[in-house]
Amino acid sequence: MKKTLYLILFTGHLSLLNAQIQIHESCGFDNYLRQNNISVEKFERTVQNYLRQNKSQRNSAMPQSLKIIPVVVHVVHNGGTENISDAQIQSQMDALNEDYRKMPGTAGDGAGADTEIEFRLAKKDPQGRCTNGIVRIKSTLTSHQNYQRADLAKLSSWDATRYLNIYVVKTISGGTAGYASFPGGPTDQDGIVVMHTYFGRTGTASSSLGRTPTHEAGHWLGVYHTFQNGCGTDTCTEGDYVCDTPPAANPNYFCPVINSCSNDFPDVKDQIENYMDYSDDNCKNMFTSGQKERMYATLNTERITVWQLSNLIATGCDSGYVSAPCNAVADFTSNAKNICVGNSVSFVNKSLNNCTTFQWNFPGGNPETSTQLNPVIKYDSTGNYEVSLKATNSNGTDSVTIENYITVSIPPTGRPVPFIENFEEVVFPPQGIILENPDNGITWELDTVAVKFSGYGSAKINNLININYGQADALVFPNMDLTTFTETPIMTFRWAYARSDANYSDELMVLISTDCGATFKQIFYRTGSQLTTGTTQTTPYIPDSSTVWKFAKIQLTPYAFSKNAILKIVNVTDGGNNLYIDSINIGKYPITSRNNFSNENSVLIYPNPFTGNTVVHFTGNFKEKTLVRIFDIFGKEVYYFYFQIASNVFIPERNFKKGIYIMKIFDNNAVIVKKFIVQ
Ligand SMILES: [Ca+2]
Ligand SMILES: [Ca+2]
Ligand SMILES: [Ca+2]
Ligand SMILES: [Ca+2]
Ligand SMILES: [Zn+2]
């Protein structure tokens, strides 16, 4: 996401002296369009088609009627003030409806349109059980990093085609106040995430007017920022694709009087009153009719299920539905379901409706019972184990039992170290490496274009076109027995990266698990300028020299006891630019001096020009399997082969027409180039 820093000045009842200045980032949305992304473009075509058809058929205002959106609020807290009250949640629901309905006499009654969209807390959960639409979960994910966004949704999410999922958290990585998904994105990460101090108008959010969720819900409904793409030229078909929002050159902060673009006719000042600018909560009070049309286009295409009467009935959001006081609903999840003998599972309570007492049963676990909210249970024998939870609130008790919930197995034997991967094979991922690619979209791939740190190929991920912000794509290495190495175990690799904009950056990290993948620990992290090796550019970054590659060295000493460590290299995308990885060595220091042993003189082609008996004589200290590629003078590859250590290789002349050829020998740290002639 774009990391535009801005200041939020808390005003209102605070005197200027007491005013707190906090640095906050943008809502995390403004590079969706810039990234030339497939899903956003596809969605935009859908919206434009809908609007065109609708207008040509009716040639008048679109038919509209009240559309109700069922909402579930997941309060992810760690026992602090971020576990906000039901009243604070209700104050946000009120704010959303005042703003979207332009309710007379409220702060949302500005010069704009009544969007005729209403948000209601769900009264039935996805299984049809009575609920107040609020899920409370105690979890450290309340302060999540970008790469853990998917974990938040895994922790708790209701069918995104039927509910708007809103997450209330303590902090968001980088200090962002909130972020939202756009229509047409992956449904398993659909929704809005907001910091608790920006959610509602009372309690911990008493300095807010609740306009962060109003803004984020605008994105969720397919509306861009008013400053999208700056002034542009055409005020209808560019920018935010909305004719009646005046263009703005940049995000506006505070409540300025400003006219940043003069290509609008008549030329009016920037609409800082619009919920889709970055101006302060207390100067915002409107959506325009054009924005409303986009919302309706979204609700009639990508989000057509959510407001249907059948769904309103199923979620208890139809007018007139009255829920009885809700009974307890027992529900849970856990950080892992498949573990190794001797490891523990962290259970997470998701019971609904203010349950106060819990009775867990863990046959085969240690301990076998618990009354805690979120117990941690150790399993010492192999097998499949059921888990049951009984939850009680003031209206009664509910219980849930899941058979074979936990599977405990013998840890696999790790392969000995060192483990070396230079990405020199044509197959990708190389044998033994597994890709994690949760969205089945853009992920790690073999690259042979960039100037590698070593040899023929490297692993690359294209963040430039990856808009699934926060998604982690991993190269997972095989289970390793770190006890097999007698010296200090270490992991090294090379990377190359450039940003596409100085304001946003992807993340590179290395994670390790010593409990068969149940939990991972971060042992290496780079982002921003610390990750950068090349100049910032909006074109795809291609390393042009082996010297740009940076060197990562990670001590594995704390994990040297593990007989089955799992290591993974993770890219978390922020829509930045290409990230390359090469020359991975897990176990010990790589031989860095190899470059000294192979050089120009290590390769001799004789006789040259070619005869039927020409051989290539390799005398240097080459690596075990070295790739040799032969190109014609037009750069077209005509032949390749591998050779083992030092040897003579016979080149069959029949492969070559008359001409000059370039031979490239890809050694660990260098490419040796030789020329030969066929007459
Ligand atoms: Ca506009
Ligand atoms: Ca203007
Ligand atoms: Ca390589
Ligand atoms: Ca991916
Ligand atoms: Zn935004």
Side-chain angles (χ1 to χ4, degrees), residues 298-365:
T298 302
L299 289 172
N300 280 300
T301 53
E302 282 291 341
R303 300 205 189 278
I304 193 153
T305 314
V306 72
W307 55 270
Q308 298 295 326
L309 182 60
S310 56
N311 189 47
L312 299 184
I313 292 169
T315 57
C317 289
D318 51 320
S319 300
Y321 175 80
V322 181
S323 61
C326 294
N327 195 357
V329 171
D331 196 7
F332 65 88
T333 184
S334 62
N335 71 327
K337 289 179 181 172
N338 297 295
I339 60 160
C340 293
V341 169
N343 293 151
S344 296
V345 178
S346 297
F347 288 88
V348 182
N349 211 314
K350 293 187 355 178
S351 298
L352 298 177
N353 305 326
N354 302 318
C355 295
T356 46
T357 54
F358 305 99
Q359 179 61 54
W360 296 85
N361 281 300
F362 304 105

Side-chain angles (χ1 to χ4, degrees), residues 231 246-248 258-270:
C231 298
I258 182 171
N259 188 350
S260 63
C261 298
S262 54
N263 54 317
D264 44 333
F265 183 80
D267 180 11
V268 295
K269 64 183 176 61
D270 294 11

Side-chain angles (χ1 to χ4, degrees), residues 436-444 461 466 468 471-473:
E436 274 178 10
N437 176 20
D439 66 350
N440 284 319
I442 292 150
T443 192
W444 293 100
I461 183 161
N466 197 347
N468 203 348
Q471 189 177 93
D473 283 87

Side-chain angles (χ1 to χ4, degrees), residues 44-75:
E44 195 54 43
R45 280 196 296 276
T46 305
V47 167
Q48 296 302 335
N49 281 340
Y50 178 84
L51 291 173
R52 202 175 306 119
Q53 280 172 13
N54 226 282
K55 278 181 179 153
S56 64
Q57 278 169 20
R58 314 257 165 197
N59 200 21
S60 65
M62 297 162 58
Q64 293 177 351
S65 61
L66 181 66
K67 296 209 184 325
I68 294 161
I69 298 180
V71 173
V72 52
V73 176
H74 310 268
V75 181

Side-chain angles (χ1 to χ4, degrees), residues 26-30 178 215-216 219 223-225 227 276-278:
S26 72
C27 80
F29 197 72
D30 36 356
H215 175 112
E216 300 303 338
H219 290 315
V223 182
Y224 295 108
H225 292 140
F227 50 85
M276 301 314 286
D277 203 340
Y278 279 170

Side-chain angles (χ1 to χ4, degrees), residues 421-424 452-458 581-583:
E421 182 53 60
N422 291 314
F423 302 104
E424 303 303 271
K452 311 308 152 336
F453 183 72
S454 72
Y456 165 74
S458 63
I581 299 290
D582 202 4
S583 303

Side-chain angles (χ1 to χ4, degrees), residues 425-495:
E425 305 293 330
V426 179
V427 187
F428 193 90
Q431 208 183 2
I433 294 180
I434 295 166
L435 288 186
E436 274 178 10
N437 176 20
D439 66 350
N440 284 319
I442 292 150
T443 192
W444 293 100
E445 58 185 305
L446 180 69
D447 180 85
T448 58
V449 178
V451 178
K452 311 308 152 336
F453 183 72
S454 72
Y456 165 74
S458 63
K460 176 185 88 174
I461 183 161
N462 188 340
N463 289 304
L464 198 60
I465 57 167
N466 197 347
I467 57 95
N468 203 348
Y469 306 131
Q471 189 177 93
D473 283 87
L475 294 165
V476 186
F477 302 105
N479 263 283
M480 281 176 224
D481 183 354
L482 297 181
T483 66
T484 55
F485 197 65
T486 48
E487 295 163 45
T488 310
I490 204 160
M491 174 178 181
T492 59
F493 63 90
R494 298 271 172 175
W495 86 87

